């Protein structure tokens, strides 16, 4: 049977990223409503909802597109797999990034509408600081190492739980609360709520995430020199999906 059509993969990336941002933004809005005077509890509620949602979304869309939902994951998939001709092609990479970014913006708009807010309002939450950028480098590099190490070691089946757990934990151990995703960062600029980021702070976060991409890929090549041979399986095994 033929491989999965490109439009289905792009639709999966759009819907998955949109759903992820809806979960991040929506749970942030709900957290501030339920716990208005406790920022720590708000972060706990936001991180738990995001972690569980991410795991579920990887299970839902992974068999179709690999459930990247993140330009740095897609870029690493292309970069690591380019020599062995596995993973995404340059054209597929461009499509994934466009679908993820559009999905992230749509996710913020949907969350805003669900909570009776203006569809899109630029965030006023400034997150411009060197220590936050460092947090994004750490969060992004760690995410990539986890994903590709799982695939290289034949444990891709546990990726939904492991990736969700990592992001949930990284909310707490990184100074930036672990955006670790350029598309999600852009999408979160369109909501002036708990999970928002001011548009002026977006470039700094994206540059830090790209830096994390290079750091993560460098560490992966040092620790798992043949990581690129399994790029086709990121994030969820594709052997059966590609013939569906």
């Amino acid at each position: 049977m033929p491989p999965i059509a490109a439009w289905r993969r792009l639709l999966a990336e759009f819907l998955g990223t949109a759903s992820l941002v809806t979960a991040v933004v929506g749970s942030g809005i709900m957290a501030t409503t339920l716990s208005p005077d406790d920022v720590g509890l708000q972060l706990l509620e936001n991180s738990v909802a995001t972690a569980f949602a991410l795991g579920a979304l990887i299970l839902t869309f992974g068999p179709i597109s690999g459930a990247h939902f993140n330009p740095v994951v897609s870029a690493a998939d292309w970069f690591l797999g380019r020599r062995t001709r596995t993973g995404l092609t340059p054209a597929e990479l461009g499509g994934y990034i466009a679908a993820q970014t559009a999905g992230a913006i749509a996710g913020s708009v949907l969350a805003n509408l669900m909570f009776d807010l203006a569809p899109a309002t630029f965030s006023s939450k400034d997150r411009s600081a060197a220590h936050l950028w460092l947090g994004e480098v750490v969060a992004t590099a760690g995410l990539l190492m986890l994903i590709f190490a799982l695939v290289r070691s034949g444990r891709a089946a546990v990726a939904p739980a492991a990736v969700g757990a990592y992001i949930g934990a990284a909310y707490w151990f990184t100074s930036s609360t672990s955006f670790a995703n350029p598309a999600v960062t852009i999408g979160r600029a369109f909501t002036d709520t708990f999970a928002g980021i001011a548009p002026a702070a977006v470039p700094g976060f994206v540059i830090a995430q790209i830096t994390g991409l290079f750091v993560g890929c460098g560490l992966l090549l040092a620790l798992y020199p043949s990581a690129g041979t399994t790029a086709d399986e990121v994030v969820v095994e594709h052997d059966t999906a590609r013939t569906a």
Side-chain angles (χ1 to χ4, degrees):
M1 295 180 69
I4 293 176
W7 70 266
R8 289 176 59 196
R9 298 172 67 191
L10 295 179
L11 179 60
E13 285 297 299
F14 174 86
L15 293 174
T17 310
S19 299
L20 174 59
V21 175
T22 298
V24 172
V25 175
S27 62
I29 297 171
M30 182 65 79
T32 56
T33 301
L34 297 176
S35 310
D37 301 317
D38 192 333
V39 177
L41 186 55
Q42 292 171 7
L43 186 61
L44 177 62
E45 293 161 347
N46 188 212
S47 63
V48 169
T50 299
F52 280 115
L54 180 55
L57 291 170
I58 292 173
L59 287 171
T60 302
F61 296 104
I64 302 172
S65 68
H68 293 189
F69 310 150
N70 188 335
V72 296
V73 173
S74 299
D77 190 45
W78 163 77
F79 177 77
L80 294 172
R82 73 194 191 288
R83 291 182 179 177
T84 53
R85 296 185 179 181
T86 57
L88 297 176
T89 66
E92 289 172 332
L93 173 61
Y96 266 49
I97 292 174
Q100 292 156 356
T101 303
I105 295 171
S108 271
V109 171
L110 177 58
N112 289 335
L113 290 172
M114 284 199 302
F115 287 90
D116 197 26
L117 301 175
T121 304
F122 288 130
S123 175
S124 59
K125 184 170 291 187
D126 183 34
R127 299 180 188 262
S128 300
H131 69 284
L132 300 181
W133 301 332
L134 177 59
E136 282 300 287
V137 173
V138 171
T140 305
L143 176 63
L144 293 177
M145 290 181 65
L146 170 64
I147 292 170
F148 285 88
L150 287 173
V151 172
R152 181 62 186 84
S153 58
R155 295 175 292 170
V158 303
V163 173
Y166 175 83
I167 291 298
Y171 258 82
W172 292 89
F173 72 72
T174 64
S175 55
S176 62
T177 64
S178 184
F179 285 46
N181 186 327
V184 167
T185 302
I186 293 170
R188 288 170 65 167
F190 287 80
T191 180
D192 193 17
T193 59
F194 179 81
I197 177 173
V202 168
F205 263 52
V206 172
I207 291 171
Q209 291 155 0
I210 294 172
T211 302
L213 165 65
F214 290 122
V215 171
C217 286
L219 291 173
L220 280 165
L221 289 174
L223 295 170
Y224 299 93
S226 59
T229 60
T230 53
D232 270 344
E233 298 178 14
V234 175
V235 169
V236 176
E237 293 179 284
H238 283 207
D239 292 342
T240 57
R242 288 190 180 277
T243 59

